[in-house]
Every structure is written in structure tokens, then in C-alpha cells.
Amino acid sequence: MVRAPCCEKMGLKKGPWTQEEDQILITFIQKYGHENWRALPKQAGLLRCGKSCRLRWTNYLRPDIKRGNFSEEEEQIIIKLHQLLGNRWSAIASRLPGRTDNEIKNFWHTHLKKRLELKQHNDLPSTITNVSQILDQHIPSNYLQDSQNIVAYHPTYYHDQEDIQESNSSSHHDTQSNKEENMQYSTNNEHGDMTSFNNDMVFWYNVFMSSGNNVSDEIS
DNA sequence: AAGCCAATCAACCGCATGCAG
DNA sequence: GCTGCATGCGGTTGATTGGCT
């Protein structure tokens, strides 16, 4: 397959966005939405490629972006989810409302990774370092056969019995990507309400904290 | 005040995946 | 089933900033 050239070398701007470009992008998306990123810059009159516009919007301009420092709770969630999911930043970001995958990735590499490495260096064997240990303690073992079932245990995953039945008969659980989809569905509340977000936060927070092993102690 | 260096983070690149034709 | 386009994702880069000498 021949890849479409990114940011066709002809005359498209690269590098930092100006305030004016930001304003054009915001105004356009507010007015027309972003159904087609590739066509958007042309329609909006921006000399950028669609990819660049999408990135700028999702990582910086979106109105629901939460700027500023990560709270201790957020740090702990990131650490534990990283243990569970690895470098799947978008999956981690979907559990942290207002945070982007890019932001979390940067935060991981600049703060948490170092701290954890340092901690590992001086590791105490008595501490729980594997999230599966924590989950084992607090979630029935039959839920832990794979990550999909962890989601099934999640309080906001199924809204009612109908959902459960539908899910049981669904072939959607066959592939890893579908599992990921389901995990995202469980907590990605972009179109949901803050109560669900809070439930998500409370769920993970409780799992982690009820382990009796304060991560902040581990990594500080 | 100037230069150097490390940390930070916005942005880019290229691969993977989904989907329509 | 195959092809090609659009988008998502994770790794990486490079400009900027702040601290130190």
C-alpha cells in the first residue's frame, strides 16, 4: 500500500501553532465540527495538514482539556494503569477525564518513570508492585482471567441487565482490539456525564488504595 | 550577564487499524 | 478478498525554559 504523504511537502506549515491559527481552528470546529480532518484545514483556510490540526485540537484546544499539574490521585492511577496496560497511553488517558494521551505520555517519561526507576533501585520486596496482586485481593478471581473481565467488574460498564445479555451473546469479545474497545467504552465518557467519570475515578482509586499499599509511599 | 545543560512539552513521523468501495 | 484512504496511536524529536556555574 502506498502511504499518502503526510503534510504534503508543498507549502504546508509545520512547527508551533500561532494564536491566530488556534483561533481559526477553534472557530471552524465550533461551527462545523470535525468530521473530516483531511479536508478541514483546506475548508478552514489553514496551511496545515489534517493530522496536525487533529493533534492540535485533541491535545490542546479541546474545551474539556484539563491543564495544569497532575494530582497525586492521577499520578497513582497512571502508575497502576501503566502496570496493567503498558504503554497504551490512549487507554490510560480514557480513564483520566481531561487528560490527553500525549500529556500522560510526557508526564510518564519526565516524572513517573524516573521516580519508579529510582524506587525500583531501592526496592523493598514486601511492597506490592504488580497490579494483578492488588486486583487479586479485591476482585473475585473469576473476573481476572483477562482484562476484559476486569472491565466487566467495573461499576459503570453495564448499565443494566440488557447490556449484560447483549454482551454475552456478542461476538465482540473475540479480539484484543475489541477488548480494548470495550474497556474504552466502559470508561470513556466523552459523551457521558461527570457522575460516570467520578465513578470511574472512585473505582480505580478504591482498587488501588484499598490494597493498603499507598503508591505515593512507594514512589516518593 | 553569559553560556551551558537538563528538563519539559508541543508537535511530528511513521506504523497499525478500520472501513468503504 | 483486495485496495486505498482516513484516522488513531505510540515513539521520537526539537524548541523552549529554567537552573546552575
Side-chain angles (χ1 to χ4, degrees), chain A residues 139-177:
Chain A
I139 298 176
S141 59
N142 58 317
Y143 283 105
L144 291 169
Q145 284 163 8
D146 60 28
S147 55
Q148 171 198 337
N149 287 336
I150 294 173
V151 171
Y153 185 73
H154 191 285
T156 60
Y157 186 62
Y158 295 116
H159 297 299
D160 56 36
Q161 193 60 29
E162 216 177 276
D163 284 348
I164 296 173
Q165 285 166 356
E166 198 179 311
S167 154
N168 286 341
S169 61
S170 165
S171 62
H172 260 229
H173 292 170
D174 292 345
T175 65
Q176 178 62 28
S177 66

Side-chain angles (χ1 to χ4, degrees), chain A residues 21-38:
Chain A
E21 287 176 312
D22 283 346
Q23 200 48 57
I24 291 171
L25 184 59
I26 291 167
T27 306
F28 185 87
I29 289 176
Q30 281 174 348
K31 208 167 177 183
Y32 304 106
H34 50 76
E35 281 187 9
N36 186 345
W37 284 114
R38 203 173 174 82

Side-chain angles (χ1 to χ4, degrees), chain A residues 77 93-98 154-160 163 183-206:
Chain A
I77 289 168
S94 71
R95 286 159 182 76
L96 288 167
H154 191 285
T156 60
Y157 186 62
Y158 295 116
H159 297 299
D160 56 36
D163 284 348
M183 290 181 80
Q184 294 217 353
Y185 169 74
S186 72
T187 51
N188 187 349
N189 290 280
E190 217 173 275
H191 307 292
D193 57 60
M194 284 309 293
T195 309
S196 297
F197 275 136
N198 290 339
N199 287 343
D200 292 338
M201 294 289 279
V202 166
F203 168 76
W204 287 104
Y205 185 76
N206 285 341

